[in-house]
Amino acid sequence: MEKMRERFDAFLMKEIRIGRNVKMKVVMLLFGIVISVMGLLIRLALRHIVSGDMDGSLQEWISCIEQNGGFRALRLNFANYNPPYLYILCLISYIDFPATPFTYIYYIKAVSVTFDYIAAVVMFLSVYKISGSEIKSLFAYAAVLLCPTIILNSAAWGQCDIIYVTFLLLCFYAVLRDKSRQALLFMGLAFSFKLQAMFFLPFLIILWLKRRVRLIDFVEIPLVYIITMIPAMLFGQRFTDIIGVYAGQPGYYNDLVKSYPNIYTLIEENQYTSYLADAAPWLTIGLLGGLMMYIYVKKFYMTYDIMALLILLSVSIIVYCMPRMHERYGFILDIFAIVYCFASGALRRYWIMLAYEGVSFVSYLPYLFRSEKLTLIPIAIFYGILIVYIGMLLFKRVTEEGEVKYECNG
């Protein structure tokens, strides 16, 4: 019996190679499989939830696509989403729903859930690239699959935010491997799915200032964007209509804040707040410009945790200082707070990951579950304090690395 136990332990601790660069013990692989199954079971339990966006917009879009011949419906200006996601809806429309036990709702959610798992794998690879630790990487993988807002966004809400954020995570992974062109290509794909991908642009500009990416590679963003338009234009959609999707989104809603706990939660709307909304973008640009100037003039080694802090701080400044932010606009932060926690040796600051997740989760409640028990005002105050703390952490890390000779890795 003792020998069997020894053999069993030896089997569990046996190290296997996955791909060219990843090594993992069998017990860790089994743990990953269990987490994957648990994540899927949680998502399956939420599959019947029909959100307002699903019942309204997505249902109408699918109906329009079905009634107008699948991809041929792209000639019509029926949705305020960019073509790449509409291509996915067109593919779903060709499924014979009466012949399957599922409706379009499940297929739409299945696409987002698939990207949940892709994002989890990329998270694993990113953390492994930075830390070389299979334990940290696996827990980061689990954090993505078990993160409440990631689960709710795809499996309950049926939203596609995980798609563009997955491409941003791939962009970050390419940066880790010093693949400048590949990084900007993934940024272009992210932007092609959602305008909110531009929240990531200040970080990439900072990387250019520090010579971690090349200026010429920024052409990948508009190039990929234009390439993704081509199928829609071939089916008859006008170029101006496609461009108009993003051009019209900033003014689509007039509310100063849309259930997101930023600084405008503290302000009651009146006849003067529209002027405040006009001034806010310039304030945001000023703050980001100050951050960029500080990072540019400082001489330090760009460590991975500093990169993660730069993402958290720059995106936080945008969503906290810009008006008309929605519940899901902090989704990038939910993902990259996990990167910071597990990849930077900052596990002692795990609460930062939980804090960002908590802010997003509270903002989901009013719309998704019609719950108004928690007021957004104290959350907005806490969020502001959190952003200041992230700025202080960044300043501290830049100062600590200031004595290290900075070398260009680009």
Side-chain angles (χ1 to χ4, degrees):
M1 184 65 97
E2 189 63 29
K3 288 184 177 180
M4 286 184 62
R5 177 58 186 267
E6 290 177 0
R7 290 176 182 174
F8 180 69
D9 290 340
F11 169 74
L12 291 179
M13 299 304 293
K14 182 180 178 180
E15 196 171 68
I16 59 176
R17 183 179 292 274
I18 302 174
R20 290 183 299 175
N21 302 317
V22 178
K23 294 180 180 179
M24 183 181 293
K25 294 181 179 63
V26 172
V27 65
M28 295 294 179
L29 179 60
L30 293 175
F31 175 76
I33 293 172
V34 171
I35 290 295
S36 300
V37 173
M38 286 177 58
L40 184 59
L41 292 175
I42 294 170
R43 287 163 171 81
L44 284 173
L46 302 174
R47 68 188 184 278
H48 298 305
I49 294 177
V50 180
S51 66
D53 290 337
M54 182 70 72
D55 190 40
S57 300
L58 290 171
Q59 183 179 25
E60 293 176 2
W61 298 349
I62 284 284
S63 297
C64 180
I65 292 170
E66 288 177 333
Q67 293 168 12
N68 290 278
F71 278 94
R72 288 193 294 273
L74 292 172
R75 70 185 186 277
L76 305 173
N77 191 20
F78 64 89
N80 63 345
Y81 269 48
N82 223 36
Y85 188 65
L86 300 183
Y87 300 153
I88 295 173
L89 297 184
C90 287
L91 289 172
I92 292 173
S93 73
Y94 285 101
I95 299 172
D96 186 6
F97 295 124
T100 68
F102 307 110
T103 68
Y104 72 89
I105 295 174
Y106 302 127
Y107 290 103
I108 290 173
K109 289 184 176 183
V111 172
S112 297
V113 167
T114 299
F115 273 89
D116 285 352
Y117 281 82
I118 296 173
V121 171
V122 180
M123 178 68 75
F124 176 94
L125 294 173
S126 299
V127 175
Y128 193 85
K129 173 69 177 176
I130 295 170
S131 67
S133 168
E134 58 182 341
I135 297 177
K136 285 184 178 180
S137 305
L138 198 56
F139 274 91
Y141 173 88
V144 173
L145 292 184
L146 301 181
C147 178
T149 53
I150 295 175
I151 293 170
L152 291 174
N153 192 288
S154 58
W157 209 324
Q159 284 291 346
C160 62
D161 297 282
I162 190 61
I163 298 178
Y164 86 88
V165 175
T166 296
F167 287 122
L168 293 181
L169 196 54
L170 283 164
C171 173
F172 179 75
Y173 182 54
V175 169
L176 297 180
R177 295 180 295 131
D178 294 319
K179 303 290 186 180
S180 172
R181 185 178 181 183
Q182 191 178 102
L184 274 299
L185 185 148
F186 284 125
M187 175 63 190
L189 286 170
F191 176 68
S192 297
F193 272 91
K194 271 290 187 84
L195 178 61
Q196 287 73 44
M198 296 305 287
F199 294 170
F200 206 70
L201 188 59
F203 168 68
L204 293 176
I205 293 174
I206 290 172
L207 291 185
W208 168 66
L209 291 173
K210 304 304 285 187
R211 300 183 181 180
R212 293 300 296 263
V213 297
R214 299 186 298 266
L215 181 62
I216 186 63
D217 293 329
F218 278 83
V219 74
E220 297 287 337
I221 299 174
L223 182 62
V224 171
Y225 178 61
I226 291 172
I227 290 173
T228 61
M229 293 180 185
I230 293 175
M233 289 190 290
L234 290 175
F235 280 103
Q237 191 170 12
R238 293 181 299 179
F239 177 79
T240 52
D241 288 339
I242 299 175
I243 294 294
V245 170
Y246 282 175
Q249 281 187 5
Y252 191 77
Y253 297 98
N254 294 320
D255 298 325
L256 193 61
V257 63
K258 293 289 291 185
S259 299
Y260 194 76
N262 63 12
I263 186 65
Y264 304 104
T265 306
L266 309 177
I267 302 172
E268 186 174 351
E269 290 199 49
N270 54 49
Q271 68 269 29
Y272 301 113
T273 51
S274 61
Y275 302 110
L276 185 61
D278 293 336
W282 301 109
L283 169 64
T284 307
I285 292 171
L287 291 172
L288 291 173
L291 174 63
M292 291 176 188
M293 184 192 70
Y294 171 74
I295 296 298
Y296 176 67
V297 300
K298 294 290 289 187
K299 298 298 182 182
F300 64 96
Y301 183 75
M302 181 72 81
T303 60
Y304 299 127
D305 66 319
I306 290 178
M307 285 188 191
L309 283 170
L310 281 170
I311 295 171
L312 292 181
L313 183 58
S314 59
V315 176
S316 293
I317 288 173
I318 294 171
V319 296
Y320 196 74
C321 296
M322 286 289 286
R324 303 185 180 98
M325 292 291 103
H326 284 239
E327 306 88 347
R328 297 173 284 107
Y329 283 10
F331 196 75
I332 296 174
L333 297 167
D334 298 352
I335 292 287
F336 281 94
I338 296 174
V339 174
Y340 174 69
C341 180
F342 289 99
S344 63
L347 281 175
R348 66 186 182 279
R349 298 197 182 100
Y350 67 91
W351 66 268
I352 292 177
M353 176 183 68
L354 298 179
Y356 273 108
E357 169 61 20
V359 169
S360 290
F361 182 77
V362 170
S363 68
Y364 277 31
L365 296 178
Y367 179 83
L368 192 56
F369 296 110
R370 303 292 187 269
S371 176
E372 303 277 351
K373 289 187 176 181
L374 286 175
T375 175
L376 295 181
I377 292 178
I379 303 300
I381 296 172
F382 167 78
Y383 197 4
I385 296 171
L386 175 63
I387 294 171
V388 171
Y389 180 76
I390 294 296
M392 292 171 60
L393 277 181
L394 177 62
F395 174 79
K396 179 182 178 182
R397 289 294 296 121
V398 168
T399 301
E400 289 172 350
E401 293 295 329
E403 300 300 321
V404 179
K405 184 179 179 180
Y406 175 78
E407 295 181 0
C408 170
N409 291 328

